[in-house]
Amino acid sequence: MPVPVRNLPEWPSEVEAHLLLVIDYQLLKAGNKDEINRLWEAGTTLGFWYLKNHGAEQDFVAMWGMGEEVFKLPLEEKMKYEQGDEGLSFGYKAVGHYIVDAVGNPDPVEGVNVAKDDALSYPKVSRREYPSVINDLMDPVITPFVEKCVDISNTLIEIFNDKLGLPEGTLAKFHKREEFSSSETRTIKAPANLTPGKLAIGGHTDFGTLTLLVNNLGGLQVLPPGTTEWRYARPLPGHMICNVGDALTMFSGGLLNSNIHRVVPPPGSQSKHDRWSQVYFTRPANDTPLSPLLESSIISTAFNNLTPERQQSLSPGVTAYEWFTRRQKNYRTKNHKGAETWAANRGTEHGRA
């Protein structure tokens, strides 16, 4: 078992965490109406929820093992596979290559991303080359992880499609596995003993449709709608933390909530340990237009009740690829020109802190 899950301190009892709804994946798969309604509640309120009985717990842990192998490579070797500053995110990300706020402060975390398209086409290279250790682990670790995350995402997408009153398969056609997208895995390591309050990842909404996340320690914080107080989302053993992304907010005419969130050092004694995160981001096919799907009366009614400004924000007139690359490019430290760069990387939060 990799180091990230060994002998870690419990959640400090004095630290309050925001309560997320716990959703049972097996009940969703079985079509349980009560559980489906609870998922809908989570998606349309906070936009975050726990997912249990998903069957991928060991796959997430194995991905941390992959990350350990990558991160211990010499920096010179890792930098051969760096993401670059043009708006793509597949590959290695060194410490300090993202900004975390409008001032342009650099991030303290190391990460590596693998494209869904490469994981599913291996040994064919679809998007880019990776370090040899990733190639060696593609078949036994990375591809099985991606397959499970694709299946879980597809189940959730199908449920949201039905709850939104869309024709069968509407959302699915934007997420075909054979079409190129910005969907990817991300393995992240934040070092121990960061300065309390230091941002590891600044406040943001996610770029795509859905996010599936497992952390070994706390640090993720959410900003509940209607408040200005950041609240911890405590990791639970065996549970994913899932959330809605910008694309699903736009498709739904604002009904589903892409909530702003950030990452700070773990609370209490947990801060003395490295914090590992494993994420899978589901994003629409690159050429998908981002706009409300008004063929649904549920969506059109909700959309028509919004202010003109909010309607415009949910119809940006861009594709999923354009939305993603704009935001990714403006997170890069080398591209930072001032507060306007931070403003240019914003998503559907529109000015929230």
Side-chain angles (χ1 to χ4, degrees):
M1 184 174 290
V3 169
V5 293
R6 286 184 191 156
N7 302 320
L8 296 175
E10 296 292 330
W11 183 265
S13 59
E14 70 276 10
V15 177
E16 186 178 359
H18 191 76
L19 184 63
L20 309 182
L21 287 177
V22 178
I23 309 298
D24 190 319
Y25 182 66
Q26 294 305 314
L27 291 179
L28 295 179
K29 290 279 286 183
N32 182 283
K33 293 188 182 301
D34 289 339
E35 203 71 1
I36 287 170
N37 287 337
R38 293 178 73 252
L39 173 63
W40 178 250
E41 178 186 352
T44 54
T45 53
L46 181 64
F48 274 78
W49 61 92
Y50 295 115
L51 192 70
K52 69 177 183 179
N53 294 329
H54 50 74
E57 181 177 7
Q58 292 307 310
D59 298 270
F60 277 84
V61 173
M63 289 294 290
W64 282 332
M66 178 276 296
E68 284 191 304
E69 295 302 312
V70 172
F71 297 154
K72 69 186 182 184
L73 293 172
L75 181 60
E76 181 181 5
E77 177 67 14
K78 291 183 286 192
M79 290 300 292
K80 295 176 183 177
Y81 305 93
E82 223 282 329
Q83 295 171 351
D85 298 310
E86 299 307 311
L88 297 179
S89 64
F90 312 137
Y92 175 71
K93 189 205 77 67
V95 171
H97 282 212
Y98 286 176
I99 59 174
V100 298
D101 54 28
V103 176
N105 286 311
D107 76 291
V109 306
E110 185 174 23
V112 62
N113 297 6
V114 178
K116 175 267 293 181
D117 303 320
D118 286 319
L120 297 184
S121 70
Y122 189 80
K124 177 184 176 182
V125 176
S126 290
R127 308 303 295 274
R128 68 157 303 150
E129 299 281 356
Y130 300 92
S132 59
V133 65
I134 287 182
N135 296 330
D136 292 343
L137 293 171
M138 196 74 83
D139 275 340
V141 174
I142 302 170
T143 298
F145 171 77
V146 170
E147 291 279 10
K148 286 190 177 181
C149 290
V150 168
D151 286 345
I152 292 167
S153 296
N154 286 346
T155 297
L156 300 177
I157 286 169
E158 182 180 356
I159 290 170
F160 284 131
N161 187 95
D162 292 345
K163 294 294 288 184
L164 289 166
L166 289 164
E168 183 177 357
T170 300
L171 290 178
K173 73 181 181 182
F174 301 140
H175 299 86
K176 294 178 180 176
R177 59 183 288 142
E178 66 272 14
E179 293 190 12
F180 280 0
S181 72
S182 297
S183 297
E184 62 187 343
T185 76
R186 179 176 299 165
T187 308
I188 309 168
K189 179 184 177 183
N193 299 311
L194 290 174
T195 302
K198 181 178 178 61
L199 291 173
I201 302 174
H204 66 287
T205 56
D206 284 345
F207 302 161
T209 305
L210 289 168
T211 301
L212 313 179
L213 166 71
V214 170
N215 299 313
N216 70 330
L217 295 169
L220 173 67
Q221 292 185 327
V222 297
L223 192 62
T227 72
T228 57
E229 180 185 358
W230 291 99
R231 301 288 300 277
Y232 281 105
R234 175 184 178 179
L236 297 181
H239 293 62
M240 293 181 189
I241 297 177
C242 304
N243 64 278
V244 170
D246 287 345
L248 198 50
T249 292
M250 288 185 272
F251 290 149
S252 69
L255 281 169
L256 292 163
N257 181 32
S258 181
N259 188 270
I260 189 167
H261 52 287
R262 69 181 188 179
V263 178
V264 297
S269 61
Q270 290 192 350
S271 66
K272 301 182 184 302
H273 299 264
D274 293 339
R275 181 181 185 274
W276 287 76
S277 300
Q278 184 60 48
V279 198
Y280 184 79
F281 297 102
T282 297
R283 299 174 180 135
N286 285 341
D287 61 356
T288 303
L290 295 180
S291 63
L293 301 174
L294 299 179
E295 61 265 40
S296 160
S297 61
I298 296 172
I299 295 173
S300 62
T301 298
F303 184 73
N304 289 334
N305 286 329
L306 299 174
T307 65
E309 292 77 15
R310 181 60 171 161
Q311 288 180 346
Q312 184 176 8
S313 74
L314 295 173
S315 303
V318 299
T319 64
Y321 177 80
E322 291 167 332
W323 182 264
F324 174 82
T325 54
R326 168 188 61 87
R327 299 197 62 194
Q328 173 69 15
K329 187 173 184 177
N330 286 297
Y331 272 114
R332 297 287 297 187
T333 305
K334 285 187 178 179
N335 294 332
H336 184 69
K337 307 299 182 186
E340 66 274 12
T341 307
W342 180 254
N345 76 25
R346 301 290 78 194
T348 59
E349 74 272 23
H350 299 290
R352 293 183 71 185

